Structures are given as C-alpha cells and as structure tokens.
Amino acid sequence: SQTIHQWPATLVQPVGSPLSLECTVEGTSNPNLYWYRQAAGRGLQLLFYSVGIGQISSEVPQNLSASRPQDRQFILSSKKLLLSDSGFYLCAWSVNGQAAYGYTFGSGTRLTVV
Amino acid sequence: AQSVTQLGSHVSVSEGALVLLRCNYSSSVPPYLFWYVQYPNQGLQLLLKYTTGATLVKGINGFEAEFKKSETSFHLTKPSAHMSDAAEYFCAAPYSSASKIIFGSGTRLSIRP
C-alpha cells in the first residue's frame, strides 16, 4: 500500500535561518507531488507541485523553493526564513493525471518562525 | 473561472443533531468531487468522493454527500453529530488539467454537548 512520510512534525526556527522540509512517498511510482501551507485560521494555499523529477511549478511567488531530486521525494526549502513563513505545511501526492483519485496527505509540519 | 465555495466558515450543532455542510462548485470543473476532514494539527483525510455512478456517496464516520448537477452542489451530511466530528472540513474538485485540486476555504464544525 502507498504511504506518505513528512518530517519533522514540528519545527521552531529563528528569522533568517534556512529551512528544509522533506516528504517521501512509498508504494507508488511517478506520483504528482504537492506542497501546501495553512496559515492560522486560513485555508489551504498551494505552494508548489511537481509532475516528475526536476519538474516544479510554483503557484505563489515567495521566499520558498521546492525540489524533486528523486521520483518519490519532494523537498521544500528556504534560504532565509521570514516571520510570515510560519504555518502548517502539508505534503500530498496523487496518481499522475488521475484526478478521480484525489490526494493523499502527509501528517504535516508545524513551522514557527521566531 | 473554476471554483469551489463552502458556505459558512463555522458551523455549530448540538450533539445528536443533523450536520449539514454546504459546498457549491463551478460547472466548469470535471465531475469529480471530494470532501476531506482535518483534525487539529493533522493532515487532511479523505472522507468521501464522487466520481461516477450513484449520486449519493457514503463515506467514513457516517457521513454522506449528494452530487446534484442541476444545483452544482455537493453538500455533506450526517444524521446525528458526535463530539468526535469536531474538525475542519474541506470540499474539493480538480482543475481541468487533472494535475491540481481546488479546495474550498473550509468549514470548522463545532459540536455542543
């Protein structure tokens, strides 16, 4: 069966420090991968998605970047965190090109920038 | 433009009462619709989905939703609310490209004892 792993679960980082959040999927190949952010009391904001290795689409210009170095690995990064980067970050995967299957989400990372 | 609209950012019902969470979608989205539930500090979990076939879809935890094309709606219901149903609920539909899903803004469900 397919599983999605996201870590760390919580993270407290000072302003100006770098960030690296990792997400991996098991039990499937060539998945679509997604990074979402939830700010406090707000909905889901799609940050990046990827349909293949090295293919990254950015939805919102910001202080973050994403990379997909391997088929089932998706990394969210920042060189210098801002206070506004605080939030709950969710990784998700879907079957490539199959909207009917929906998404499967990881358990999320709570990032607090101080 | 493609969109998913959830009416009511916060719904409060008494334990044992009917739960009704509303979702409307733009007619331009493909005919796949989803409801997700999010418990505090957790990821989203698929509650139910409509793809094809029967328009009344049953999901986990006693929830169900009915796809009404004429009303472009996909409302979520549960006959009797339980305290454990307190969570955030998201309605969603795919973009036409099938690579992305549009999420509604979410409805927070509170249950009164």
Side-chain angles (χ1 to χ4, degrees):
Chain A
S1 63
Q2 301 91 355
T3 56
I4 179 168
H5 302 280
Q6 190 179 342
W7 68 92
T10 60
L11 193 59
V12 180
Q13 292 284 96
V15 169
S17 64
L19 173 73
S20 180
L21 302 181
E22 188 164 343
C23 173
T24 60
V25 180
E26 296 178 357
T28 188
S29 60
N30 196 30
N32 285 356
L33 295 170
Y34 308 84
W35 278 111
Y36 281 85
R37 177 171 61 197
Q38 275 183 304
R42 303 187 66 178
L44 292 158
Q45 181 185 34
L46 177 61
L47 302 176
F48 302 95
Y49 73 96
S50 171
V51 299
I53 296 175
Q55 300 179 62
I56 308 295
S57 295
S58 175
E59 291 293 299
V60 182
Q62 60 212 320
N63 187 41
L64 302 169
S65 62
S67 62
R68 185 171 177 174
Q70 299 180 44
D71 181 45
R72 291 169 291 175
Q73 184 185 32
F74 204 26
I75 297 172
L76 183 69
S77 304
S78 173
K79 292 182 179 179
K80 289 185 178 183
L81 284 168
L82 306 171
L83 287 174
S84 58
D85 292 322
S86 293
F88 192 52
Y89 289 82
L90 289 160
C91 181
W93 76 272
S94 69
V95 177
N96 197 318
Q98 296 294 326
Y101 288 92
Y103 288 0
T104 301
F105 283 85
S107 53
T109 296
R110 173 73 59 191
L111 172 66
T112 304
V113 183
V114 297
Chain B
Q2 297 165 315
S3 66
V4 174
T5 303
Q6 291 184 241
L7 300 176
S9 60
H10 183 209
V11 171
S12 179
V13 302
S14 298
E15 190 174 18
L18 171 71
V19 174
L20 171 61
L21 304 182
R22 300 177 186 275
C23 173
N24 288 90
Y25 62 93
S26 61
S27 57
S28 58
V29 305
Y32 306 131
L33 293 160
F34 312 92
W35 274 100
Y36 286 85
V37 59
Q38 184 181 31
Y39 298 102
N41 292 311
Q42 295 186 26
L44 277 70
Q45 179 183 4
L46 182 65
L47 201 56
L48 51 81
K49 65 179 178 182
Y50 171 79
T51 53
T52 58
T55 56
L56 182 62
V57 181
K58 295 186 183 298
I60 61 173
N61 302 336
F63 283 92
E64 61 183 34
E66 186 171 10
F67 171 66
K68 291 188 176 181
K69 187 175 181 180
S70 61
E71 299 177 8
T72 61
S73 69
F74 191 55
H75 301 332
L76 182 70
T77 60
K78 182 174 181 178
S80 177
H82 191 272
M83 296 300 291
S84 61
D85 295 327
E88 186 101 20
Y89 292 80
F90 293 91
C91 182
Y95 282 97
S96 58
S97 68
S99 294
K100 296 186 291 183
I101 290 180
I102 314 166
F103 285 88
S105 55
T107 297
R108 183 164 61 90
L109 176 64
S110 300
I111 312 296
R112 302 188 299 271

